[in-house]
């Protein structure tokens, strides 16, 4: 097999990202599976790397839900629903392993990241074209976000990759093109008025560029506090507040905790304002009303929540609160396995950060930053925008895989000499 060059790797990555962003669910699923099979056949799978990436824990979530599917009688069997849900739960494993096996040399990573930044930024321009060139930018509001279907997900990924390549202000200032792209994507994120993407961006900027030694730790603490709180909400609460029929962006920010909180509502205005918490409530009720073991292993693939309303929220198989999705399909054991997967990534990033400081190796430093930023984003997205378990799982997993591969490659000689423990993430 011919060796990959930096140019070929970048072109391959650009094509893959474009397919991921624009292909429909079924074509993407077929391409993902085919690419995964090609890569694992053409690249050796190193067990230590798979363990360091937390693949066993991520795969465990899939297996727990599979066992639940085979043992639960909560839903009538539907081959389509079971297969679709099963793919959604195995897709994060496919995407992460794809990143781990995508490159021939760790030297390709910087070039691939730069190419990805251009592709993601160009995609954002296309998404925002009507807004930018049709006069929408003169009146930024919640209404304009929905009118122009503003989606800042690609800009957020581009911003995180820029921070990964330029983890210091001095490095960023030396690259005028990167600075311009960062500012441009940040502006698109802000005008989209997406609370999740704005939060991810601001916390990431503070994490990377703050001079305080406590800022990075505080940033991670805030991310963990916000994202683990739903794990303690499995028993839903009563309605917290009346919803407003019209809300500004500031109102939505102030009401975020109430909106995300698992709550039951009886009127459509309340549900429209707090639909994330309401649909999550419906999901937990399915588990609570099933057999006792469902709390432990869920009710499996093909399960869904049923709304009492005829015209909205009829059958909900996946929730904007991704933790509830895991709870529905794989129970508490699935949540524990997912938490261990996230812990493994943070642990690996911490070990890489210490190794990067000790050796001064820029590749190791950038890999550590990439893993932390993408993991933070995954946690936020799993809390509020489906996260890793949906038709298009979080693309950040692919970049985490690339970063881990480059990290393992860069630290290989150090490990061989007994001077590094990055491989194990300890």
């Amino acid at each position: 097999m011919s060796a990959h060059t930096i140019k070929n790797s970048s072109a391959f990555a650009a094509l893959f990202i474009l397919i991921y962003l624009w292909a429909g669910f079924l074509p993407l699923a077929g391409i993902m599976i085919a690419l995964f099979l090609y890569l694992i056949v053409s690249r050796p799978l190193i067990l230590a790397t798979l363990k360091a990436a937390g693949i066993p824990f991520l795969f465990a979530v899939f297996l727990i839900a599979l066992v639940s599917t085979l043992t639960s009688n909560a839903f009538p069997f539907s081959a389509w629903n079971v297969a679709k849900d099963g793919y959604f739960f195995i897709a994060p494993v496919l995407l992460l392993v794809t990143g781990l096996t995508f490159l021939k040399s760790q030297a390709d990573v910087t070039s691939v990241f730069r190419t990805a930044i251009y592709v993601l930024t160009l995609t954002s321009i296309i998404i925002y074209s009507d807004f930018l060139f049709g006069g929408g930018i003169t009146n930024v509001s919640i209404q304009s976000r929905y009118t122009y279907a503003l989606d800042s997900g690609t800009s957020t990924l581009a911003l995180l990759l820029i921070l990964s390549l330029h983890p210091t202000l001095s490095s960023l200032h030396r690259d005028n093109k990167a600075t311009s792209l960062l500012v441009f994507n940040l502006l698109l994120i802000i005008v989209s008025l997406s609370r999740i993407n704005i939060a991810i961006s601001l916390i990431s900027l503070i994490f990377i560029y703050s001079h305080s030694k406590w800022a990075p730790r505080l940033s991670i603490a805030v991310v963990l506090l916000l994202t683990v709180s739903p794990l303690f909400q499995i028993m839903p609460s009563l309605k917290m507040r009346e919803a407003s029929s019209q809300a500004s962006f500031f109102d939505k920010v102030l009401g975020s905790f109430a909106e995300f909180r698992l709550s039951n509502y009886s009127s459509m205005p309340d549900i429209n304002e707090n639909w994330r918490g309401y649909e999550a409530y419906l999901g937990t009720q399915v588990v609570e009303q099933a057999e006792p073991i469902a709390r432990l292993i869920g009710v499996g693939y093909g399960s869904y929540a049923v709304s009492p309303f005829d015209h909205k929220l009829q059958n909900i198989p996946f929730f904007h609160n991704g933790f509830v999705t895991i709870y529905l399909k794989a129970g508490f054991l699935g949540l524990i396995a997912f938490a261990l997967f996230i812990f493994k990534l943070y642990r690996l990033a911490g070990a890489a950060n210490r190794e990067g400081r000790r050796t001064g190796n820029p590749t190791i430093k950038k890999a550590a930053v990439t893993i932390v930023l993408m993991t933070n984003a995954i946690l936020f997205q799993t809390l509020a925008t489906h996260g890793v378990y949906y038709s298009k799982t979080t693309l950040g997993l692919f970049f985490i895989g690339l970063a881990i591969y480059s990290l393992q490659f860069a630290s290989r000689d150090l490990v061989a000499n007994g001077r590094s423990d990055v491989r194990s993430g300890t």
Side-chain angles (χ1 to χ4, degrees), residues 7 36 41-42 44 50 52 77 92 98 129 174 210 219 243 317 320 345 355-356 360 368 376 379 388 414:
K7 180 179 179 181
F36 171 80
V41 169
S42 61
L50 296 179
F77 178 78
T98 296
S129 58
R174 288 195 297 268
S210 174
S219 299
H320 282 77
L345 292 180
E355 190 68 37
N376 287 348
L379 281 173
V388 296
L414 297 176

Side-chain angles (χ1 to χ4, degrees), residues 157-190:
L157 269 176
L159 182 142
L160 296 182
L161 290 176
I162 294 170
L163 296 182
S164 299
L165 291 179
H166 299 280
T168 64
L169 281 174
S170 58
S171 171
L172 182 65
H173 288 161
R174 288 195 297 268
D175 191 335
N176 293 331
K177 186 180 296 184
T179 302
S180 300
L181 288 171
L182 186 147
V183 172
F184 177 73
N185 281 290
L186 182 59
L187 289 175
L188 293 185
I189 294 167
I190 292 173

Side-chain angles (χ1 to χ4, degrees), residues 60-198:
V61 180
F62 167 80
L63 289 180
I64 293 167
L66 180 61
V67 170
S68 177
T69 305
L70 298 174
T71 59
S72 173
N73 296 315
F75 289 83
F77 178 78
S78 167
W80 167 249
N81 288 339
V82 169
K84 174 172 61 68
D85 289 4
Y87 166 75
F88 287 179
F89 267 65
I90 198 62
V93 177
L94 302 182
L95 192 57
L96 183 53
V97 173
T98 296
L100 290 170
T101 56
F102 191 83
L103 302 175
K104 183 68 175 179
S105 167
Q106 61 89 16
D108 294 358
V109 172
T110 297
S111 178
V112 166
F113 276 21
R114 287 175 178 163
T115 299
I117 291 168
Y118 296 141
V119 171
L120 293 167
T121 302
L122 177 61
T123 300
S124 293
I125 293 173
I126 295 173
I127 293 172
Y128 282 72
S129 58
D130 289 342
F131 174 78
L132 293 173
F133 307 116
I137 197 170
T138 60
N139 183 25
V140 177
S141 65
I142 289 290
Q143 187 60 40
S144 66
R145 175 188 176 188
Y146 298 116
T147 299
Y148 294 97
L150 301 183
D151 182 355
S152 54
T154 50
S155 281
T156 302
L157 269 176
L159 182 142
L160 296 182
L161 290 176
I162 294 170
L163 296 182
S164 299
L165 291 179
H166 299 280
T168 64
L169 281 174
S170 58
S171 171
L172 182 65
H173 288 161
R174 288 195 297 268
D175 191 335
N176 293 331
K177 186 180 296 184
T179 302
S180 300
L181 288 171
L182 186 147
V183 172
F184 177 73
N185 281 290
L186 182 59
L187 289 175
L188 293 185
I189 294 167
I190 292 173
V191 300
S192 76
L193 298 182
S194 168
R195 288 165 290 173
I196 297 302
N197 289 331
I198 289 174

